[in-house]
């Protein structure tokens, strides 16, 4: 129970950090991944952003400590608590509203969390109500190099493409604001990768293996974390908090679960029904990400109000023979706002 509460507390810390990041980036000049140096310069010069960074690192540490004694899938309902909190904060502090497909995405997110929780509850009932410990869930990371490459290469290539090529705001009369799906997926993959290798570092230290600096885990944690922070800052500056953080959290946690299965041997249920239940939770999370609309909905245009303007009206006979022949009249001209 202590580990579950710690995982919930970590999510609350994450949300506070995201709010601080959004406040900080809102006061910065426009950020773009094609110019990373100004992004780093502005971030390092913002006390609010640095405070958010400290909280985010604290959340990482709390989450890793929780996962030392808690299976990953058992922590997914705790992540659902964080999503409920971010929706409340977005509505209360930033005036955000969800509609249509966005609510469908939230419903699928809740479904994913419920299915994950159900798979854990049914599994623990079958095991006499005892959650499996870390020794039964995650092993110290001695994975072959190819498994690390399978996780790292796509996780870095796709977000780096977004930094260099895809990070271009669409201009023009018919341009529509992005909801942040691409940014959320990119930042979620990077931060999920950072969590994977941060957890690997914590597992090695917990097992007394002090040679962790000779493994790629701490260095991949720092690389993915720094890139993820850059994309996180850009996304929070341009997009709504609720949609962006929801997609980011879903992507990061599903990426963490699948990567930990490959690298650390995160166990899945042996029972076929429970296995399908957990797979359905992962599928629901993926569908939730795909359901959120890519562009913001268009705002309804206000009705055109007529405006008055003065115009010189000449008599039908042609140009005036004397100055007083011209007169000013009020003409109703439609206003196109």
């Amino acid at each position: 129970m202590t580990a579950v509460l710690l995982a919930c507390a970590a999510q609350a810390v994450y949300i506070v950090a995201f709010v601080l990041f959004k406040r900080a980036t809102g006061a910065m000049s426009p950020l773009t991944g094609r110019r990373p140096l100004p992004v780093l310069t502005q971030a390092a010069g913002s006390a609010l952003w640095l405070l958010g960074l400290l909280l985010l690192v604290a959340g990482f540490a709390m989450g890793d400590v929780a996962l030392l004694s808690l299976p990953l899938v058992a922590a997914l309902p705790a992540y659902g608590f964080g999503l409920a909190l971010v929706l409340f904060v977005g509505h209360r502090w930033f005036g955000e509203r969800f509609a249509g497909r966005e609510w469908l995405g939230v419903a699928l997110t809740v479904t994913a969390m419920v299915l994950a929780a159900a798979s854990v509850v049914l599994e623990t009932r079958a095991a006499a109500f005892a959650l499996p410990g870390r020794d039964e869930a995650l092993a110290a990371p001695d994975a072959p190099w190819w498994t690390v490459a399978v996780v790292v290469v796509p996780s870095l290539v796709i977000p780096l493409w977004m930094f260099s090529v895809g990070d271009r705001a669409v201009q023009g009369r018919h341009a529509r604001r992005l909801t942040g799906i691409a940014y959320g997926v990119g930042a979620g993959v990077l931060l999920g990768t950072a969590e994977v290798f941060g957890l690997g570092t914590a597992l090695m230290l917990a097992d007394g293996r002090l040679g962790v600096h000779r493994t790629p885990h701490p260095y991949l944690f720092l690389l993915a974390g720094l890139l993820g922070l850059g994309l996180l800052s850009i996304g929070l500056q341009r997009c709504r908090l609720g949609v962006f953080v929801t997609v980011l959290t879903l992507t990061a946690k599903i990426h963490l679960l699948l990567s930990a299965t490959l690298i650390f041997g995160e166990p899945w249920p042996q029972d076929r029904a429970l296995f399908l239940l957990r797979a359905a939770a992962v599928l629901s999370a993926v569908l939730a990400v795909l359901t959120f609309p890519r562009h913001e909905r268009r705002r309804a245009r206000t009705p055109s109000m007529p405006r008055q303007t003065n115009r010189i009206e000449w008599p039908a006979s042609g140009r005036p023979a004397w100055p007083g022949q011209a007169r000013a009249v009020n003409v109703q001209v439609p206003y196109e706002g």
Side-chain angles (χ1 to χ4, degrees):
M1 181 59 70
T2 302
V4 174
L5 293 177
L6 190 60
C8 290
Q11 298 310 303
V13 171
Y14 282 146
I15 300 309
V16 176
F18 291 149
V19 171
L20 292 178
F21 282 139
K22 187 164 183 64
R23 293 289 191 188
T25 56
M28 298 177 185
S29 59
L31 303 175
T32 172
R34 288 176 289 129
R35 294 194 298 271
L37 187 58
V39 174
L40 294 176
T41 303
Q42 292 192 73
S46 171
L48 203 59
W49 192 93
L50 292 176
L51 178 59
L53 175 61
L54 290 176
L55 289 177
L56 190 67
V57 172
F60 269 115
M62 294 167 65
D64 285 344
V65 171
L67 292 177
L68 288 177
S69 57
L70 190 69
L72 282 171
V73 71
L76 289 180
Y79 303 144
F81 164 76
L83 292 178
L85 184 60
V86 75
L87 293 179
F88 171 78
V89 170
H91 173 78
R92 181 67 179 83
W93 289 357
F94 297 97
E96 298 178 354
R97 301 290 188 275
F98 276 25
R101 286 173 56 189
E102 294 171 345
W103 280 119
L104 179 58
V106 171
L108 287 171
T109 301
V110 174
T111 300
M113 300 303 172
V114 170
L115 291 174
S119 70
V120 173
V121 170
L122 294 176
E123 188 176 12
T124 54
R125 287 184 62 183
F129 299 93
L131 277 174
R134 184 185 66 83
D135 292 338
E136 301 173 20
L138 297 179
D142 282 325
W145 66 268
W146 66 267
T147 60
V148 175
V150 166
V151 171
V152 172
V153 173
S155 302
L156 296 182
V157 168
I158 296 175
L160 284 175
W161 173 84
M162 291 188 60
F163 270 117
S164 59
V165 179
D167 181 31
R168 296 177 181 174
V170 179
Q171 304 293 337
R173 181 178 180 181
H174 300 288
R176 298 172 63 185
R177 284 185 58 195
L178 298 175
T179 56
I181 304 303
Y183 289 111
V185 170
V189 167
L190 286 170
L191 294 179
T193 303
E195 284 189 281
V196 170
F197 293 104
L199 179 58
T201 302
L203 287 170
M204 296 184 73
L205 292 175
D207 285 346
R209 300 171 60 179
L210 301 181
V212 65
H213 62 281
R214 292 192 292 268
T215 71
H217 294 275
Y219 309 107
L220 291 173
F221 166 75
L222 290 174
L223 176 62
L226 288 174
L227 292 174
L229 282 173
L231 202 51
L232 168 72
S233 300
I234 296 171
L236 285 175
Q237 185 185 64
R238 299 182 182 184
C239 310
R240 281 184 293 159
L241 180 76
V243 173
F244 176 77
V245 174
T246 299
V247 173
L248 181 149
T249 303
L250 275 174
T251 305
K253 302 316 174 186
I254 295 303
H255 186 274
L256 173 61
L257 175 62
L258 297 179
S259 299
T261 301
L262 182 63
I263 296 178
F264 306 144
E266 166 75 12
W268 283 53
Q270 299 298 319
D271 182 80
R272 186 174 183 178
L274 293 178
F275 180 90
L276 292 176
L277 195 63
R278 190 164 300 180
V282 174
L283 180 61
S284 296
V286 174
L287 289 177
V289 173
L290 296 176
T291 298
F292 281 103
R294 185 170 179 266
H295 294 94
E296 296 283 3
R297 59 186 181 276
R298 295 186 184 276
R299 295 181 180 179
R301 293 177 62 87
T302 56
S304 298
M305 299 297 294
R307 61 183 173 90
Q308 289 189 344
T309 185
N310 290 330
R311 190 180 70 185
I312 301 298
E313 184 179 89
W314 302 100
S317 58
R319 299 188 61 81
W322 58 88
Q325 191 173 356
R327 61 189 179 90
V329 297
N330 290 328
V331 181
Q332 299 292 329
V333 178
Y335 173 71
E336 297 181 358

